[in-house]
Amino acid sequence: MFDIRLRSLKDNFFDPCCRFIPSQITPYHVTAAAFLAGLLSCYCAYLNSPLLSAGFWALNRFLDCLDGALARHRNTASDLGGFLDLLGDFIVYSIIPITISAGQESTIRCWQAVAILEATFHVNNFILFYIAAISEKRQAKDSASGKELTSLMMRPALVEGLESGVLFTGMLVFPGYIEGLCWLMAVLVSVGIVQRVAWVVPALG
């Protein structure tokens, strides 16, 4: 919901950091380090160590912002880099609730909440990538016909990067509340799904 508004603030913070990174360290290295930090966060959550898991999570979020900034700073941004960045994010996002619940030896009701949350992730991701594919298809068609490009851009929704980060942080720091936080996030993501569908259907029509 706030990602677009905070973009310039994030760039102003991370762009100067890129000047201090040795040339031997590439954006791919930073992406790999972010993924490793995310996995360590999940592992610590499984061990029921909230402080360690939150610390590695904070490192994951920092490096996840840094890799893109570094690629843009060096003018080496690529589709492969974007793909690997998103792949790491989706893996970590998916297993955070699972490892927390496993570490808490949760009840069936808690696992049901985790399952519902994972289902909302699945549906939301389908919408995001289907629209991205349609947008790419229409851009290619308009380019071939010489028309001005009018691509479908994904609309902001209630839960984006910032809101997801806050909710996942809450889960990691307060693992005892994992069931309630999963239900809360599932509801908020569902609202975002409705928002995007309500915009997408008329646009595609």
Side-chain angles (χ1 to χ4, degrees):
M1 184 168 60
F2 297 106
D3 284 12
I4 294 177
R5 302 177 203 174
L6 295 176
R7 179 60 185 267
S8 60
L9 182 63
K10 184 177 76 171
D11 289 343
N12 290 336
F13 176 80
F14 283 98
D15 286 351
C17 298
C18 298
R19 303 181 192 134
F20 301 99
I21 299 178
S23 59
Q24 295 86 348
I25 298 177
T26 69
Y28 291 116
H29 293 144
V30 180
T31 299
F35 181 56
L36 177 60
L39 292 180
L40 287 172
S41 174
C42 294
Y43 180 66
C44 291
Y46 174 73
L47 297 178
N48 199 18
S49 300
L51 290 179
L52 277 176
S53 62
F56 281 118
W57 170 245
L59 179 61
N60 166 269
R61 293 294 82 209
F62 176 82
L63 294 174
D64 185 65
C65 293
L66 184 62
D67 60 358
L70 182 62
R72 290 187 294 273
H73 178 75
R74 295 180 179 175
N75 198 27
T76 58
S78 66
D79 291 336
L80 176 60
F83 168 76
L84 294 175
D85 185 32
L86 281 176
L87 177 62
D89 285 347
F90 279 28
I91 292 173
V92 172
Y93 287 1
S94 297
I95 63 178
I96 280 177
I98 296 171
T99 52
I100 295 173
S101 296
Q104 294 293 302
E105 298 182 357
S106 301
T107 63
I108 294 296
R109 287 182 56 185
C110 184
W111 281 112
Q112 289 172 340
V114 172
I116 294 297
L117 176 59
E118 298 287 344
T120 63
F121 288 167
H122 181 71
V123 175
N124 189 57
N125 292 339
F126 158 73
I127 294 172
L128 288 171
F129 285 100
Y130 187 84
I131 296 305
I134 292 295
S135 298
E136 188 72 19
K137 179 181 177 181
R138 292 193 173 185
Q139 284 184 19
K141 182 178 178 180
D142 289 343
S143 296
S145 62
K147 295 179 182 178
E148 183 179 354
L149 296 182
T150 54
S151 63
L152 280 172
M153 300 300 294
M154 281 309 302
R155 298 273 297 189
L158 185 60
V159 175
E160 295 180 318
L162 175 65
E163 295 79 17
S164 297
V166 170
L167 288 165
F168 284 134
T169 300
M171 294 178 192
L172 292 166
V173 175
F174 305 106
Y177 294 93
I178 181 65
E179 181 180 346
L181 288 169
C182 280
W183 280 116
L184 173 62
M185 190 170 188
V187 170
L188 296 178
V189 172
S190 297
V191 171
I193 289 171
V194 172
Q195 287 178 305
R196 285 181 168 132
V197 170
W199 176 80
V200 164
V201 171
L204 291 179

